[in-house]
């Protein structure tokens, strides 16, 4: 996944982010960026600054994401539902997708979430929530 040439991407410590022409919020996790509560707070504050209280449809490529700290996971569990209408997550392999989907069945988020290995399929799935 890459930002198209007609949008301005925002580079923040955890990821590169942008809104596409359909209004989908897109992000690409930076390789081995330390996912702490403070880093997530910065990311979520960035999103709120651009969308206010509106919930977003989010497509995130987490192929290179590091594992978040316990504090970051707890913060994300509390705050992500306040921001997200639907979440499509791109992973780099079918094995990663299977493991992540199994985890999501146990820790089901309160918004539609689905794993993909293909950006086009992820975007098609998100269309129903725009």
């Amino acid at each position: 996944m890459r930002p198209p040439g007609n949008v301005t991407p925002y580079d923040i410590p955890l990821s590169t982010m942008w809104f596409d022409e359909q209004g989908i919020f897109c992000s690409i996790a930076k390789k081995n960026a330390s996912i702490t509560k403070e880093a997530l707070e910065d990311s979520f504050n960035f999103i709120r600054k651009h969308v206010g209280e509106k919930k977003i449809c989010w497509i995130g490529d987490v192929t290179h994401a590091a594992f978040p700290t316990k504090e970051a996971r707890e913060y994300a569990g509390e705050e992500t539902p306040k921001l997200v209408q639907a979440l499509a997550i791109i992973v780099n392999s079918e094995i990663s997708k299977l493991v992540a989907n199994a985890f999501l069945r146990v820790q089901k988020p309160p918004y539609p979430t689905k794993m993909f290995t293909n950006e086009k399929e992820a975007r098609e799935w998100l269309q129903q929530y725009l």
Side-chain angles (χ1 to χ4, degrees):
M1 190 165 87
R2 284 195 260 187
N6 63 339
V7 301
T8 302
Y10 301 93
D11 193 42
I12 62 174
L14 288 181
S15 61
T16 300
M17 305 176 155
W18 69 93
F19 287 91
D20 72 8
E21 57 280 344
Q22 296 177 311
I24 295 173
F25 181 73
C26 306
S27 68
I28 303 171
K30 291 186 178 175
K31 192 171 189 168
N32 298 322
S34 182
I35 304 175
T36 64
K37 179 184 176 194
E38 294 77 20
L40 279 181
E41 286 173 336
D42 288 345
S43 295
F44 288 5
N45 287 337
F46 171 86
I47 295 167
R48 286 186 184 101
K49 176 181 169 187
H50 288 85
V51 300
E53 296 300 313
K54 180 182 173 202
K55 289 190 175 188
I56 58 172
C57 288
W58 188 343
I59 183 169
D61 183 338
V62 298
T63 300
H64 299 292
F67 196 73
T69 65
K70 181 177 188 273
E71 188 178 41
R73 290 191 308 274
E74 290 170 354
Y75 176 78
E78 294 170 14
E79 295 300 315
T80 306
K82 299 174 186 175
L83 295 172
V84 173
Q85 174 72 27
L87 176 62
I89 301 171
I90 298 175
V91 294
N92 61 348
S93 70
E94 287 296 326
I95 300 260
S96 296
K97 185 172 130 180
L98 288 171
V99 170
N101 278 327
F103 176 76
L104 288 173
R105 279 193 284 284
V106 174
Q107 296 286 332
K108 187 162 178 61
Y111 45 83
T113 305
K114 192 168 178 181
M115 299 288 170
F116 297 90
T117 55
N118 178 291
E119 179 184 353
K120 183 177 184 277
E121 291 174 6
R123 288 181 175 282
E124 288 171 359
W125 177 78
L126 272 180
Q127 291 297 314
Q128 66 187 308
Y129 301 103
L130 289 175

